[in-house]
Amino acid sequence: MLDLAIIGGGPAGLTAGLYATRGGLKDVVMFEMGLPGGQIMNSSEVENYPGIKEVVTGMELMEPWPEQCMRFGLKHEMIQVTRVEKDGDNFKVILAGGKEETAKNVLICTGSTPKRAGFEGEDEFFGKGVSTCATCDGFFYKDKEVAVLGGGDTALEEALYLANICSKVYLIHRREEFRASPNTVERLKNKENIELVLNSSIKKVYGDAMGVSGVLTVNKEGKERDLPVPGIFTFVGMNVNNEVLMQEDGSTLCELNEYGEVIVDLSMKTSVEGLFAAGDIRILAPKQVVCAASDGATAALQAIAREH
Ligand code: FAD
Ligand code: NAP
């Protein structure tokens, strides 16, 4: 029986693992289906984590975190969790392949994943010219023109990153105002090889078996514009990864809000005793690495308090 099962190994899960093991919980396993680090590993620039003196990549930021946690006894199982169920006073953690673990406490920190924008050709060309990761795919378009869709922090930061690799970036956004922070908007506007395509959406992405060959946009007046780019990066927000909470009878393990985010109190406690949620998955999450880490620490301290 585990003292604590942590589902997800992003900043929230890793920090929870550090605090839980260092705080005396003995059997703590972090179930992470990929490499530990979370979605920030896809970011090409991070400058707002406290203590960072220079801009670093997400990978550089997260690289030391797993080693620090493992030093205190955190175990990592690289596997997907299918579902978490109540099992008397404890929990059953069901893993891909059907194996099960039981745990006294469970912390859900499965984070969020990029949304699809919904234009024609998006699914057909996903991975063949349509991407949601500039650090992963940007280099394929070195010295070529690309398009970016979205007006939030992610879209603008990644457009700036791509502008350093690509000859030109078309930033397509459906409004005139940006959701991103003013500092980032300023940097974007000062970047010579970024052209703003505002009040516009994507009608379709087209191409052939080799991949994307262009993007057709349409503005608010209905005027179409053809951008003959081989790559389009979409950054239109995130969906919370709450699937592990879905029960076989269609109910959810704990209370969620209308966006599917887990309802927690200030201790990261959910509506179910012994079940915690931390990071991007919870209500009102600021969706920042530092906040996810803080949530993870808070939840771990609560789990320790329950066991001692
Ligand atoms: P995540 O980082 O999403 O980690 C969740 C983990 O859970 C993932 O590793 C996933 O593989 C795993 N997982 C999910 N489901 C399962 C399952 N069923 N079984 C096993 N494992 C599972 N924040 C900043 O503070 N500064 C920035 O500059 C910044 N830039 C960003 C740039 C980009 C491109 C993006 C996408 C985000 C950025 N953010 C930034 C936001 C930041 O990355 C998130 O707020 C933070 O990573 C949330 O951490 P988390 O631990 O809650 O979740
Ligand atoms: P976001 O803030 O939700 O922005 C999504 C953008 O996509 C918005 O501009 C939105 O337009 C647009 N959009 C949504 N659906 C669309 C569709 N179907 N078609 C076209 N455009 C669409 O998402 P995000 O940029 O990924 O950021 C997520 C969170 O992480 C935010 O809280 C953000 O602050 C944080 N983050 C922070 C940093 C940082 O601190 N440096 C970096 C990255 C992310 P509208 O504006 O018109 O709604």
Side-chain angles (χ1 to χ4, degrees):
M1 167 90 66
L2 302 177
D3 284 336
L4 174 65
I6 299 171
I7 323 294
L14 284 162
T15 309
L18 171 66
Y19 274 70
T21 50
R22 197 167 173 273
L25 290 189
K26 289 280 172 282
D27 290 310
V28 184
V29 174
M30 182 181 78
F31 297 95
E32 164 56 59
M33 60 190 179
L35 285 177
Q39 57 178 283
I40 193 66
M41 304 265 278
N42 289 333
S43 175
S44 47
E45 47 173 63
V46 183
E47 61 177 356
N48 58 3
Y49 193 79
I52 300 287
K53 286 191 192 156
E54 292 166 10
V55 176
V56 294
T57 65
M59 267 189 204
E60 285 166 343
L61 177 72
M62 297 312 295
E63 192 262 332
W65 292 40
E67 191 184 327
Q68 183 189 18
C69 307
M70 306 303 165
R71 219 158 34 97
F72 297 102
L74 177 69
K75 294 178 210 96
H76 168 211
E77 268 201 47
M78 196 191 266
I79 192 161
Q80 184 173 9
V81 172
T82 315
R83 191 166 60 250
V84 179
E85 290 177 0
K86 200 86 183 78
D87 183 22
D89 288 342
N90 303 310
F91 296 92
K92 215 188 306 181
V93 178
I94 303 165
L95 307 173
K99 201 182 137 207
E100 291 178 8
E101 291 275 2
T102 49
K104 293 185 204 165
N105 299 279
V106 172
L107 170 58
I108 309 290
C109 28
T110 42
S112 50
T113 45
K115 279 185 188 163
R116 296 280 167 109
F119 51 79
E120 189 184 327
E122 186 179 26
D123 291 340
E124 183 188 346
F125 290 105
F126 201 85
K128 290 182 271 176
V130 177
S131 169
T132 55
C133 182
T135 28
C136 317
D137 300 329
F139 196 73
F140 297 133
Y141 306 101
K142 189 168 164 28
D143 301 327
K144 293 180 181 158
E145 296 192 349
V146 294
V148 168
L149 178 69
D153 279 311
T154 306
L156 270 60
E157 287 183 3
E158 299 313 299
L160 283 160
Y161 171 79
L162 287 164
N164 291 331
I165 301 173
C166 305
S167 56
K168 179 166 181 170
V169 176
Y170 296 94
L171 193 276
I172 305 163
H173 179 39
R174 62 188 180 185
R175 293 188 294 141
E176 209 145 12
E177 300 77 32
F178 292 101
R179 200 173 281 274
S181 64
N183 168 48
T184 309
V185 175
E186 195 57 35
R187 283 167 59 211
L188 181 93
K189 288 184 172 165
N190 290 333
K191 194 80 181 172
E192 278 173 8
N193 61 339
I194 297 183
E195 181 181 333
L196 304 183
V197 183
L198 299 179
N199 295 315
S200 298
S201 54
I202 295 181
K203 196 169 176 189
K204 71 170 179 181
V205 163
Y206 59 89
D208 55 26
M210 300 299 288
V212 167
S213 43
V215 173
L216 192 64
T217 66
V218 56
N219 72 9
K220 279 190 175 152
E221 283 77 46
K223 195 165 169 235
E224 292 185 355
R225 182 170 173 195
D226 188 21
L227 303 173
V229 293
I232 160 85
F233 291 82
T234 64
F235 304 107
V236 296
M238 313 293 283
N239 279 322
V240 287
N241 301 325
N242 58 15
E243 296 82 359
V244 298
L245 296 168
M246 302 304 164
Q247 305 298 289
E248 277 187 313
D249 64 2
S251 64
T252 56
L253 178 60
C254 62
E255 284 177 24
L256 310 179
N257 70 5
E258 74 255 50
Y259 307 113
E261 297 160 343
V262 181
I263 298 174
V264 291
D265 65 12
L266 289 175
S267 309
M268 303 304 136
K269 288 179 183 165
T270 68
S271 56
V272 174
E273 176 71 25
L275 182 72
F276 305 87
D280 279 15
I281 185 115
R282 71 153 167 100
I283 50 161
L284 299 172
K287 297 198 168 65
Q288 294 290 291
V289 174
V290 68
C291 303
S294 164
D295 282 3
T298 303
L301 292 172
Q302 291 300 319
I304 293 167
R306 256 193 111 226
E307 293 309 310
H308 289 123

